[in-house]
Amino acid sequence: MSRVGQRPIEIPEKVKVDVRSDKIEFQGPKGKNESPLFEGIEVKLKDNVLVFKREKDDHQTASFHGLSRTLAANAVQGVTQGFSKKLEIVGVGFRAKMQKNRLELNLGYSKPVIYEIPEDIEIELENPNTIVVKGINKQRVGQEAHKIKSFRKPDSYKLKGIRYSGERLIKKERKAGVGATSV
């Protein structure tokens, strides 16, 4: 039995829910979001509570039961509170700058990296070394944060680059025999 799929989702008063045959649409103060419905999963809305039931007990339907409930819960959280990921830029001379709908990153390359910000994503700079990626879709926020991080992944020897806030990195020792010559 899927324990995740059995839990009901409390719908806040500010959120409107429209259950269709193949998806559930949510509209709230932050925007509009949708969640897919998989085959064999039935959804009922009673007294601002979404309940997910499955028709069969096979492995695939059980997996989709928990997945559809989780995606719907993420959509509800997205239209009410939103999601955010914080990135830190570490390195001498490494910094970020905003220009309208573009993010300019100086990451030690010969030219700055220009990142065009998508319409469904919002980016804020807390300071030149801290980027906050915000949006209502959890998957899109994580995807765009990863794309920004991939411009300069953290170096395992000097730990310079872009990393998630709170990410623990393990510094490697320098390679043996480098820098010292034996005669």
Side-chain angles (χ1 to χ4, degrees):
M1 291 297 277
S2 170
R3 295 177 188 199
V4 173
Q6 292 177 349
R7 288 189 288 176
I9 301 173
E10 296 282 332
I11 306 294
E13 291 180 19
K14 304 175 257 181
V15 179
K16 294 179 185 173
V17 181
D18 183 22
V19 179
R20 301 200 176 178
S21 61
D22 61 336
K23 63 184 173 182
I24 309 170
E25 293 181 345
F26 301 94
Q27 189 165 0
K30 293 223 176 232
K32 196 173 186 181
N33 209 345
E34 61 183 42
S35 169
L37 265 181
F38 299 100
E39 192 176 319
I41 305 299
E42 184 183 325
V43 178
K44 291 183 182 175
L45 178 65
K46 292 182 184 176
D47 303 325
N48 284 343
V49 175
L50 266 181
V51 179
F52 291 81
K53 302 262 184 207
R54 64 175 177 237
E55 296 169 1
K56 299 182 277 183
D57 274 345
D58 64 323
H59 180 71
Q60 189 67 41
T61 310
S63 300
F64 285 152
H65 187 206
L67 176 65
S68 16
R69 190 259 176 218
T70 302
L71 292 174
N74 286 343
V76 169
Q77 183 181 347
V79 297
T80 54
Q81 302 165 358
F83 294 98
S84 67
K85 285 243 184 211
K86 191 182 275 192
L87 299 166
E88 297 172 347
I89 302 173
V90 178
V92 177
F94 290 12
R95 63 185 165 276
K97 190 168 44 171
M98 288 286 293
Q99 298 175 344
K100 293 184 183 176
N101 64 339
R102 295 166 47 160
L103 180 66
E104 184 179 312
L105 299 163
N106 292 319
L107 300 171
Y109 300 125
S110 60
K111 295 181 180 177
V113 176
I114 306 295
Y115 172 71
E116 297 288 333
I117 302 170
E119 290 184 20
D120 59 337
I121 297 295
E122 183 182 323
I123 292 185
E124 294 178 1
L125 291 178
E126 288 184 356
N127 58 49
N129 294 332
T130 307
I131 303 168
V132 181
V133 182
K134 294 182 178 182
I136 62 170
N137 189 329
K138 186 175 186 176
Q139 189 265 336
R140 289 281 297 140
V141 169
Q143 180 181 6
E144 296 304 319
H146 178 73
K147 195 180 287 185
I148 293 171
K149 180 183 173 181
S150 70
F151 292 134
R152 185 69 156 210
K153 290 186 179 171
D155 176 29
S156 57
Y157 293 102
K158 297 180 182 176
L159 303 181
K160 296 185 339 183
I162 302 174
R163 66 178 88 166
Y164 295 116
S165 181
E167 181 180 5
R168 256 185 82 202
L169 300 173
I170 299 171
K171 187 173 182 176
K172 286 186 175 180
E173 293 293 323
R174 70 180 183 91
K175 294 180 179 167
V178 175
T181 56
S182 58
V183 179

